[in-house]
């Protein structure tokens, strides 16, 4: 049983997905990720994907290679020198990819999207614009989430008691600032 694999498509799809994952990781970990660094990290991940597809390796070697690729991707993308930080970021990257692959799997198999794609409903030339738009949307969504979390930290729960009656309210934190 043989299947035709186009290595340029493997490279291109993995580059785009790695770029998406690294840009999401930038927002989640609140790291300073420049686009050039993110592209270099995604390039390293795409090269590893091509090696993993073309080379026949035992499972342990592929797992070790994937871990090493994740460490290299994060070290290159964020110019991090601390081994502890690189380990943390690479495991965060692997966890994020695990979560997002489960999400894509859920959408593909439990909605009409999988059936629609199998029947040729989405032309292949639309794949990259969709990934790009999705990347921008998710990154903006992460920024809005962190902004919302910042507002939530300024709020506190207050319980007012008067003559045996209690009422709970949410209010702003009083900093004691007298302007």
């Amino acid at each position: 049983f043989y299947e035709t694999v186009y290595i340029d498509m493997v490279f291109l799809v993995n580059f785009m997905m790695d770029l998406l994952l690294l840009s999401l990781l930038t927002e989640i970990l609140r790291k300073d990720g420049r686009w050039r660094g993110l592209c270099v990290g995604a390039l390293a991940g795409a090269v590893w994907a091509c090696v993993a597809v073309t080379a026949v390796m035992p499972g342990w070697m592929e797992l070790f290679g994937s871990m090493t690729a994740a460490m290299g991707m994060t070290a290159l993308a964020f110019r991090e020198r601390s081994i502890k930080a690189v380990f943390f970021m690479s495991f965060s990257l692997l966890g994020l990819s695990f979560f997002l692959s489960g999400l894509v799997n859920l959408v593909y198999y439990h909605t009409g999207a999988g059936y629609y794609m199998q029947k040729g409903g989405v032309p292949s030339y639309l794949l990259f614009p969709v990934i790009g738009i999705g990347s921008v949307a998710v990154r903006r969504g992460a920024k809005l989430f962190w902004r919302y979390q910042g507002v939530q930290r300024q709020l506190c729960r207050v319980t007012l008691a008067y003559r045996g009656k209690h009422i709970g309210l949410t209010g702003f934190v009083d900093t004691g600032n007298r302007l």
Side-chain angles (χ1 to χ4, degrees):
F1 174 69
Y2 291 97
E3 194 168 325
T4 303
V5 176
Y6 297 100
I7 200 70
D8 56 340
M9 289 305 291
V10 170
F11 179 83
L12 201 54
V13 167
N14 277 280
F15 176 78
M16 294 294 288
M17 293 308 293
D18 290 339
L19 189 60
L20 169 67
L21 287 170
L22 287 170
S23 69
L24 284 175
L25 195 65
T26 300
E27 293 302 322
I28 291 170
L29 297 180
R30 294 184 178 188
K31 297 294 282 182
D32 183 29
R34 306 253 186 260
W35 278 108
R36 187 171 64 177
L38 294 177
C39 286
V40 170
L43 181 70
V47 167
W48 165 249
C50 292
V51 169
V53 166
T54 56
V56 178
M57 293 180 266
W60 67 269
M61 188 180 289
E62 193 168 337
L63 178 66
F64 180 74
S66 296
M67 300 284 284
T68 305
M71 290 175 63
M73 287 169 62
T74 54
L76 289 169
F78 302 114
R79 295 183 184 194
E80 189 64 54
R81 300 292 178 242
S82 164
I83 192 71
K84 184 178 176 182
V86 169
F87 267 108
F88 175 75
M89 288 186 300
S90 62
F91 281 110
S92 298
L93 179 67
L94 292 171
L96 181 64
S97 77
F98 180 76
F99 172 75
L100 287 180
S101 65
L103 187 65
V104 167
N105 192 7
L106 176 81
V107 169
Y108 186 83
Y109 287 110
H110 298 289
T111 67
Y115 177 78
Y116 184 71
M117 290 175 70
Q118 284 179 345
K119 297 298 178 191
V122 178
S124 59
Y125 63 85
L126 288 179
L127 177 66
F128 298 111
V130 167
I131 290 173
I133 291 169
S135 172
V136 169
V138 170
R139 194 165 182 176
R140 296 251 168 110
K143 281 185 179 182
L144 288 174
F145 173 77
W146 286 120
R147 188 174 303 147
Y148 174 74
Q149 288 297 321
V151 169
Q152 288 292 24
R153 283 192 210 112
Q154 296 173 359
L155 300 176
C156 65
R157 187 85 176 138
V158 178
T159 302
L160 299 175
Y162 182 71
R163 294 186 182 174
K165 293 183 180 181
H166 299 287
I167 186 169
L169 301 170
T170 302
F172 284 106
V173 174
D174 183 12
T175 61
N177 198 358
R178 298 179 186 192
L179 296 176

